[in-house]
Amino acid sequence: MILTTGLARAAGLLAIIIDDVGNNAEVAREVLALPPEVTLSILPRLSASRQTAEAASRLGHEVMLHQPMDSVTHRALGPGGLTLDHTRVDLEAVLAANLRSVPHAVGVNNHMGSLLTGEHASMHWLMEALRRHGNLFFVDSRTNPRSVAQRTARTMGIATARRDVFLDNMRDPVRIRESLYQAARLARLKGSAIAIGHPYPETLEVLRRELPRLREQGIELQPVSRVIAYQRSPETWHASSSPLPQVAKSSKP
């Protein structure tokens, strides 16, 4: 599929989200050195959460909250986790505190969450809260094939998308490169794709080396909000530096 972006013709749009940022300032600096179209998803209430979000915004990166959620394996969530024990009021309070620790966040995706993303009530409460906090978008990391998060978001008029490819389930540069090019193939086939990686040295090195090559092949790297905007309305989508238009209020395992 060939897309006309208004700035250049592209073979496909690709968003790359780097998860699990926020607990190490030195690692964050390496992530921040990637092209500004790469989106950072920052864990809340960690030692480097706020400063990483501030630096990312200054450098032109899109910022997301990487929201910890209950998993079926009951892994430790760290600060700011959402669990099945949280009421609607509890969930809203936890999310609000997390967003304060990650300034400039324009969207949210789940960290783990293989249990919570399958729960209708919790996802309904979460999407309500995202609407109240400025109509933040939601990207389903799809740690649970039975996740109801994206469907709930759509039903409630929340801008949403899902992860297409995990780049680094195996921390092997050859496998990471293969996953990156799988995401590029999907972008060509569908018009757009979203890939999620982590701040592993292997992942960052592959991205530094391969992203310029993908650009030469016509793959256009975009912040995740722009890919969501394209997916919502490919006929009217155009590239710009503005964030995803807000939705009207009426409208690891």
Side-chain angles (χ1 to χ4, degrees):
M1 180 182 296
I2 302 297
L3 306 174
T4 302
T5 68
L7 298 178
R9 295 180 68 82
L13 305 181
L14 177 62
I16 294 177
I17 302 170
I18 301 298
D19 279 353
D20 293 359
V21 187
N23 63 350
N24 185 304
E26 184 176 344
V27 170
R29 281 192 288 271
E30 295 186 44
V31 179
L32 290 166
L34 292 171
E37 295 85 1
V38 173
T39 299
L40 275 67
S41 193
I42 300 173
L43 289 163
R45 309 192 208 179
L46 298 180
S47 59
S49 298
R50 178 174 294 276
Q51 70 184 76
T52 300
E54 296 284 8
S57 180
R58 286 195 304 271
L59 292 170
H61 293 273
E62 197 158 77
V63 174
M64 297 175 62
L65 168 65
H66 195 34
Q67 175 58 58
M69 298 185 191
D70 251 350
S71 71
V72 294
T73 54
H74 304 294
R75 293 170 61 188
L77 296 181
L82 296 177
T83 75
L84 286 179
D85 294 330
H86 284 122
T87 65
R88 184 195 305 252
V89 173
D90 294 337
L91 185 148
E92 163 67 27
V94 171
L95 181 69
N98 290 348
L99 288 168
R100 287 194 294 272
S101 77
V102 182
H104 311 291
V106 294
V108 173
N109 73 327
N110 54 294
H111 172 57
M112 300 187 286
S114 53
L115 179 61
L116 203 70
T117 58
E119 293 297 321
H120 290 270
S122 296
M123 290 302 98
H124 185 88
W125 297 342
L126 176 65
M127 301 312 161
E128 284 186 333
L130 295 184
R131 177 179 291 164
R132 287 195 292 272
H133 283 281
N135 289 318
L136 305 182
F137 64 77
F138 183 82
V139 174
D140 190 346
S141 300
R142 295 294 292 180
T143 57
N144 176 0
R146 296 182 176 84
S147 171
V148 299
Q150 186 183 20
R151 184 165 69 249
T152 304
R154 283 177 173 165
T155 299
M156 299 178 64
I158 300 296
T160 186
R162 59 177 287 178
R163 180 268 312 167
D164 293 294
V165 175
F166 275 127
L167 295 177
D168 46 19
N169 279 335
M170 298 184 66
R171 288 181 56 175
D172 172 69
V174 173
R175 296 296 183 89
I176 294 168
R177 184 184 184 278
E178 289 174 352
S179 296
L180 178 62
Y181 277 81
Q182 178 190 0
R185 286 192 296 273
L186 287 173
R188 291 188 184 97
L189 178 66
K190 303 193 305 177
S192 65
I194 296 173
I196 291 179
H198 300 83
Y200 305 141
E202 299 90 343
T203 303
L204 300 183
E205 176 56 34
V206 168
L207 292 176
R208 284 191 290 264
R209 184 178 66 246
E210 299 298 335
L211 287 180
R213 297 175 182 175
L214 287 178
R215 190 182 302 272
E216 291 172 359
Q217 297 171 26
I219 296 298
E220 185 171 322
L221 190 63
Q222 286 283 337
V224 69
S225 70
R226 304 310 303 163
V227 169
I228 295 174
Y230 166 78
Q231 292 179 357
R232 285 164 63 85
S233 185
E235 295 81 9
T236 60
W237 184 88
H238 62 89
S240 75
S241 59
S242 60
L244 180 72
Q246 290 191 344
V247 181
K249 289 185 183 289
S250 61
S251 57
K252 306 153 189 172

